[in-house]
Amino acid sequence: MDCIFCKIVAGEIPSKKVYEDDLVYAFYDINPIAPVHILIIPKEHIKSMCEMEEKHEKLVGHILFVAHKIAQEQGFAEDGYRIINNCGENAGQTVMHMHYHLLAGQKFSWGKMD
Ligand code: AMP
Ligand code: ZN
């Protein structure tokens, strides 16, 4: 399959690993938009949240749990962090393998987005 994130999971494309278990893989974003920018992805190829099925309910919960676990391990759980999932064209999803952005290390603003 011609999917860049499947290739990262398979070790065919290099990545800076943060965490791995049977279900998920986490690694540093190649083009960070915050001091800490980690991507958490399912090992299974799911195109996006928009393609999610009922059988993936636990997997998505696990991804969020792993995000918090990483935040605790890396010491930014207390200061706070942001999790983003871009789903589909309107959200600006560019890689069509579902992924969650874990952002930290700064104060984030909130308001109308461009
Ligand atoms: P999105 O716009 O939500 O689809 O986010 C895709 C993210 O994947 C972007 O933040 C990219 O910088 C990141 N990305 C693309 N290719 C790689 C790669 N080879 N290693 C790490 N991150 C990547
Ligand atoms: Zn994939």
Side-chain angles (χ1 to χ4, degrees):
M1 194 185 296
D2 198 23
C3 168
I4 189 170
F5 284 181
C6 280
K7 287 181 179 162
I8 283 177
V9 169
E12 291 162 14
I13 290 176
S15 65
K16 280 175 72 183
K17 181 165 101 172
V18 175
Y19 175 89
E20 181 176 16
D21 63 27
D22 289 351
L23 298 173
V24 307
Y25 186 77
F27 55 105
Y28 287 103
D29 195 291
I30 205 166
N31 189 19
I33 60 165
V36 179
H37 188 168
I38 293 165
L39 298 173
I40 307 167
I41 67 174
K43 287 188 169 176
E44 178 188 344
H45 181 84
I46 302 165
K47 264 170 79 180
S48 77
M49 282 286 284
C50 319
E51 307 273 326
M52 196 176 63
E53 295 169 34
E54 200 173 344
K55 66 178 180 188
H56 298 126
E57 203 176 340
K58 269 194 175 165
L59 176 62
V60 171
H62 183 61
I63 289 171
L64 297 179
F65 180 74
V66 164
H68 184 60
K69 199 162 144 166
I70 292 170
Q72 283 180 315
E73 277 169 13
Q74 295 211 355
F76 55 79
E78 241 177 73
D79 283 347
Y81 55 84
R82 180 167 287 178
I83 294 170
I84 292 175
N85 173 268
N86 292 324
C87 175
E89 198 187 329
N90 271 7
Q93 184 178 0
T94 57
V95 177
M96 297 310 285
H97 179 130
M98 185 168 85
H99 51 278
Y100 287 74
H101 300 259
L102 173 59
L103 305 167
Q106 65 170 79
K107 254 194 199 311
F108 295 100
S109 59
W110 184 254
K112 196 170 181 302
M113 297 193 192
D114 302 327

